[in-house]
Amino acid sequence: MAKHDSDKVKTTPSSMSMIEPRFRNIYKSFYKETYYAKTTLDPKTKELIAIGCSLVAHCEGCARGHIKKALELGATKEEISDAIVVAVGIGAASVVDMSDKSAIHLDLHHFE
């Protein structure tokens, strides 16, 4: 019995599967130097920042990974919540900023 395309198991492509290996390596090197290098911030604080950044950037895989790592580093649910609340504030601020710029561009004064 011949296999058909419909019989193939569909798998999710690996992260960065569409990026040429040399560029993938450049990214990985950059990430390693900027994220894992010793700095004045401790690893848990970096993870909490990364949680907020991941959420604002809409990177689900990033958020999941950074929440997991933060928990492994001893972050409390309250600390993670604080990071999320900061991200919510920044996300809301970006909406306000974009609407302000649109109002200026269109010379709108709705509630003044």
Side-chain angles (χ1 to χ4, degrees), residues 39-96:
T39 66
T40 58
L41 295 175
D42 64 276
K44 183 174 83 170
T45 300
K46 285 184 179 182
E47 288 301 333
L48 293 169
I49 292 168
I51 290 168
C53 292
S54 298
L55 295 171
V56 172
H58 303 275
C59 183
E60 183 180 342
C62 300
R64 193 177 314 122
H66 290 298
I67 291 169
K68 181 180 176 186
K69 185 67 174 178
L71 289 168
E72 290 171 2
L73 291 170
T76 65
K77 63 183 178 183
E78 292 81 10
E79 290 171 321
I80 292 171
S81 175
D82 285 349
I84 293 168
V85 169
V86 170
V88 169
I90 297 300
S94 71
V95 170
V96 171

Side-chain angles (χ1 to χ4, degrees), residues 3 6 12 16 22 30 45 47 59 64 84 86 88 105 109:
K3 288 268 187 186
S6 62
T12 303
M16 297 189 283
R22 67 186 178 109
F30 174 79
T45 300
E47 288 301 333
C59 183
R64 193 177 314 122
I84 293 168
V86 170
V88 169
H105 181 76
H109 306 276

Side-chain angles (χ1 to χ4, degrees), residues 6 34 63 108:
S6 62
T34 58
L108 299 175

Side-chain angles (χ1 to χ4, degrees), residues 10-15 17:
K10 297 195 188 254
T11 60
T12 303
S14 63
S15 181
S17 67

